Amino acid sequence: METTTDTVPKVDRPGWPEIVVGIAAMAVVGLGLPIAASGQVDLTSPVGGAILACLSGVAGLAGFAAAAAVRRRPLRSFGIRRASARWMWWGVAGGVLALLAKGLLTPLFLMLAEVPTDTQAGYAAGASSGPWLLVVTAIGLAVLTPIGEEFFFRGVVTTGLLRYGAVAATLGSAVIFALLHGINVVLPAALIVGIITAELRRRSDSVWPGVVVHAFNNSITVIAYALVPGIV
């Protein structure tokens, strides 16, 4: 596999200002809006879960938009550029690898740590409560969230951390990605997806293979929620 670790000129890379501003924007949208709406909508209900699924993607896009607004630069500086079919297939392979690793590591993690396991109950309720809410939840989790989170976490965070080298960029951005999902049952899966997508972004110089990884895994999750009501 060919490696392109430094194709974005250093002067063009986002940095800590973009990372901090982006995380703040994500927090406002992803945490602030649900808190503000909690008195109006039951976010643990099927409708609330479908709304949260879409809000997850919107938060990522808000984070990217805020980060990109800090300093004007072309989208290719964030890795938002076309990827070859070969790299998109590597994204599919990465999605399969992430799914297998998640199946192995999540039970082990739960054996070693007592963490919340119901943090995605709203998503599960949305996906298993009829065709319309399933469609909305699927759009939120399998389309909006992969695009929004990959644009920000890989386009901004991984790209920004490349100034410290490949290992720091891949592992550092993956840890930030995982921790921002919370200390809960999702942590191992988020860390695995973060490592795979960051490495694909670094090697392919594009965020799109990572979007494929993310969409593949989230699609399987939505299907599981739809087919096995009550699973979290």
Side-chain angles (χ1 to χ4, degrees):
M1 189 187 302
E2 63 194 40
T3 302
T4 56
T5 61
D6 202 22
T7 55
V8 179
K10 185 175 181 180
V11 70
D12 256 349
R13 284 186 187 145
W16 284 108
E18 286 86 353
I19 293 172
V20 172
V21 168
I23 290 175
M26 285 189 66
V28 169
V29 175
L31 297 177
L33 289 184
I35 291 173
S38 60
Q40 307 297 322
V41 179
D42 180 5
L43 296 177
T44 63
S45 69
V47 171
I51 291 173
L52 285 178
C54 292
L55 194 59
S56 173
V58 172
L61 289 172
F64 173 75
V70 172
R71 287 177 285 194
R72 293 175 62 91
R73 53 170 54 87
L75 290 177
R76 65 177 179 273
S77 298
F78 300 97
I80 301 176
R81 60 174 74 200
R82 292 177 62 182
S84 68
R86 173 174 172 267
W87 279 113
M88 298 302 275
W89 280 111
W90 273 111
V92 174
V96 174
L97 177 61
L99 192 66
L100 294 174
K102 169 187 173 181
L104 291 172
L105 295 181
T106 299
L108 178 61
F109 178 65
L110 292 177
M111 288 175 57
L112 298 175
E114 286 191 24
V115 295
T117 58
D118 60 349
T119 55
Q120 295 193 322
Y123 298 157
S128 61
S129 298
W132 289 110
L133 287 181
L134 171 59
V135 168
V136 173
T137 302
I139 290 173
L141 291 182
V143 180
L144 291 177
T145 296
I147 292 174
E149 292 191 346
E150 291 306 309
F151 274 32
F152 177 67
F153 286 105
R154 260 53 73 179
V156 177
V157 181
T158 301
T159 305
L161 293 181
L162 273 172
R163 60 177 33 85
Y164 305 114
V167 174
T170 297
L171 294 183
S173 63
V175 169
I176 292 172
F177 177 66
L179 291 178
L180 287 179
H181 279 75
I183 308 299
N184 54 57
V185 67
V186 178
L187 183 66
L191 184 61
I192 293 162
V193 169
I195 291 172
I196 293 172
T197 53
E199 188 64 5
L200 283 172
R201 186 268 174 270
R202 184 181 74 84
R203 290 177 176 270
S204 70
D205 200 27
S206 173
V207 300
W208 291 111
V211 171
V212 172
V213 174
H214 210 141
F216 181 91
N217 275 266
N218 284 12
S219 296
I220 297 299
T221 298
V222 171
I223 292 170
Y225 288 160
L227 296 180
V228 188
I231 189 174
V232 178

